[in-house]
Amino acid sequence: MIQPAKRLDTVKEYYFSIKLREVRNLVAAGKPIINMGIGSPDLQPPAKVIEAIQGSLADANAHKYQSYQGLPELRMAIADFYKNKYAVDSNPENEILPLMGSKEGIMHISMAFLNEGDQVLIPNPGYPTYTSVTNLVGAEPLFYNLSDENNWQPNFEELENQDLSNVKLMWVNYPHMPTGTNATIETLEKLVAFGKKHQILIINDNPYSFILNDKPISILQVEGAKDIALELNSLSKTFNMAGWRVGMVLGNAKYINEILKVKSNMDSGMFYGIQKGAIEALQLSDDWFASQNKIYEERRNLIWQLADKLDATYNKNSTGLFVWAKIPEGKKSEEVTDAVLYENDIFITPGTIFGSQGEGYIRFSLCVTTDVIKEAISRFLVIGN
């Protein structure tokens, strides 16, 4: 039998891939499982977006290979969006690169800038893909701890005390997943200064800006940020277009060009109709965000009631698509979530899948209807003691 590449020894199957298989088996066995683990929006994309993709299908160029850099009008729409929403100026010709989802960008950026043996600063807790991609390209993860005591912001004193001589790249994710904490402009300014001081490329992964958050910010707002920082963004969460795979990376033209070298050797351009839909989404008024957040606010209020049933505590100022909750002292995250799954038929996420700093926490998704959340609450009447 042909043996797999050694690089696969550095990664495991994604937690949700394994756990959802377990959940499917429970469903097949007749269990009425409620899935509160996944952040896949259950709401529909804007109607105008659907109309735009439908209307584009008869265009002369609709079914041809598309440019690796995307349609010029898509790049312009991204530039206008960043100008209007974040007060960030970007040249659509060379400072913006559309991506097939921002997750693709994590791999492309890593392949463009990391050599074997380079070190990468990764938040703990944080999105597991930062670690798996770092391992796949032969680089070394170097975790920096985030904590509730420091409002889940980087501890720059601890960072400065580490040996940073081999660090080439740092992943940042604000609004933060899984905790829902937003960055402050002061944090972003410190990150840019830190990157410049140590010649570390800072990448902010920023797909949750507009969900339950009235103060969206970008690292590119910081003066001089383009010298040392990139930003990933996505339409997946904000516009309920997760399956469409529309992302983007913005930054210095030289950095973008290096990423394009990788992307252009790995895929072709995004489907024409999807680009047309994305353009329409990026041009929507703020009424869209207000309508979505009204729904998510109602759901979040109910999720808080659900967390109360587990004697879990949470920050009511958090943003994003999840509720991050601290379970009582002495309890383990995976023990709690497995008990809830098998005793109450509800799948929630243990904080430990996001790193060791996630121990003692659980995560609820807001991607479920209010009726489903109310049903879940009814199942928790006797649990938690």
Side-chain angles (χ1 to χ4, degrees):
M1 179 178 288
I2 303 299
Q3 295 301 305
K6 291 183 179 179
R7 69 176 62 89
L8 293 185
D9 293 340
T10 68
V11 296
K12 299 178 181 178
E13 185 179 359
Y14 195 40
Y15 170 84
F16 285 116
S17 175
I18 298 170
K19 203 66 178 181
L20 288 177
R21 190 160 55 242
E22 183 179 338
V23 168
R24 284 194 298 271
N25 289 338
L26 290 171
V27 172
K31 296 290 186 178
I33 303 296
I34 293 174
N35 187 342
M36 292 184 163
I38 305 297
S40 179
D42 62 311
L43 301 170
Q44 290 296 301
K48 288 184 177 180
V49 172
I50 302 295
E51 292 167 5
I53 189 172
Q54 289 173 334
S56 73
L57 297 181
D59 290 1
N61 295 320
H63 306 288
K64 296 180 179 180
Y65 284 122
Q66 300 298 313
S67 165
Y68 299 109
Q69 295 173 279
L71 294 171
E73 53 265 45
L74 174 57
R75 297 198 305 274
M76 179 57 72
I78 294 169
D80 289 343
F81 183 84
Y82 257 77
K83 177 65 174 178
N84 295 334
K85 307 303 183 188
Y86 299 110
V88 169
D89 290 310
S90 294
N91 186 335
E93 291 298 317
N94 54 22
E95 292 186 332
I96 294 171
L97 181 62
L99 302 167
M100 294 182 187
S102 59
K103 190 172 184 179
E104 176 192 63
I106 297 171
M107 175 61 83
H108 289 352
I109 291 168
S110 298
M111 292 186 71
F113 295 103
L114 294 174
N115 295 311
E116 189 172 348
D118 286 339
Q119 291 184 316
V120 180
L121 286 167
I122 296 174
N124 177 15
Y127 185 34
T129 297
Y130 304 142
T131 301
S132 58
V133 168
T134 297
N135 286 327
L136 282 170
V137 300
E140 178 187 349
L142 186 63
F143 297 100
Y144 64 95
N145 288 340
L146 306 177
S147 68
D148 195 10
E149 292 73 21
N150 201 40
N151 195 30
W152 307 103
Q153 307 289 311
N155 185 321
F156 288 94
E157 184 176 344
E158 288 184 1
L159 284 168
E160 291 287 357
N161 286 333
Q162 296 190 63
D163 179 3
L164 302 170
S165 56
N166 291 323
V167 175
K168 195 171 186 182
L169 192 150
M170 179 179 185
W171 289 105
V172 181
N173 170 217
Y174 289 105
H176 183 244
M177 198 291 296
T179 70
T181 304
N182 210 349
T184 63
I185 196 67
E186 291 78 15
T187 291
L188 299 181
E189 288 171 346
K190 288 180 179 179
L191 283 164
V192 169
F194 176 78
K196 288 184 176 181
K197 177 181 178 181
H198 298 285
Q199 283 301 287
I200 297 171
L201 184 62
I202 310 292
I203 303 100
N204 185 40
D205 190 10
N206 188 15
Y208 296 98
S209 276
F210 299 93
I211 300 174
L212 295 171
N213 180 28
D214 57 3
K215 294 181 180 178
I217 57 176
S218 163
I219 197 170
L220 299 180
Q221 291 175 237
V222 176
E223 185 176 355
K226 287 183 183 178
D227 295 338
I228 203 66
L230 295 167
E231 182 154 285
L232 287 169
N233 214 320
S234 168
L235 275 62
S236 294
K237 316 296 186 181
T238 304
F239 298 102
N240 306 325
M241 294 165 62
W244 293 48
R245 310 311 303 138
V246 182
M248 63 206 76
V249 58
L250 296 88
N252 183 292
K254 184 175 182 350
Y255 296 145
I256 296 297
N257 189 58
E258 301 304 327
I259 300 167
L260 179 59
K261 290 179 185 177
V262 175
K263 178 176 171 59
S264 61
N265 280 286
M266 292 184 68
D267 59 46
S268 296
M270 193 186 306
F271 175 58
Y272 176 87
I274 287 178
Q275 294 190 66
K276 286 293 189 178
I279 291 166
E280 191 67 40
L282 291 163
Q283 295 173 344
L284 290 172
S285 73
D286 288 345
D287 290 344
W288 166 256
F289 305 118
S291 67
Q292 296 298 288
N293 285 332
K294 184 177 180 180
I295 295 169
Y296 284 131
E297 186 173 2
E298 184 178 5
R299 293 178 177 187
R300 185 177 61 180
N301 289 339
L302 288 170
I303 290 288
W304 287 341
Q305 294 180 36
L306 189 56
D308 290 340
K309 297 295 182 182
L310 282 168
D311 294 326
T313 56
Y314 40 86
N315 180 2
K316 290 190 174 183
N317 294 318
S318 64
T319 65
L321 212 52
F322 307 98
V323 168
W324 179 251
K326 186 174 183 178
I327 56 178
E329 291 290 334
K331 293 192 174 183
K332 298 292 186 180
S333 297
E334 292 192 34
E335 291 176 1
V336 169
T337 57
D338 279 348
V340 169
L341 176 60
Y342 283 94
E343 295 173 16
N344 299 81
D345 298 324
I346 300 169
F347 172 44
I348 54 180
T349 306
T352 45
I353 76 161
F354 305 106
S356 60
Q357 288 291 99
E359 181 58 87
Y361 294 86
I362 54 178
R363 192 193 74 173
F364 301 87
S365 170
L366 299 182
C367 300
V368 282
T369 67
T370 54
D371 286 344
V372 170
I373 301 172
K374 289 175 182 177
E375 165 61 21
I377 292 171
S378 73
R379 299 181 186 182
F380 274 82
L381 293 178
V382 297
I383 198 160
N385 296 316

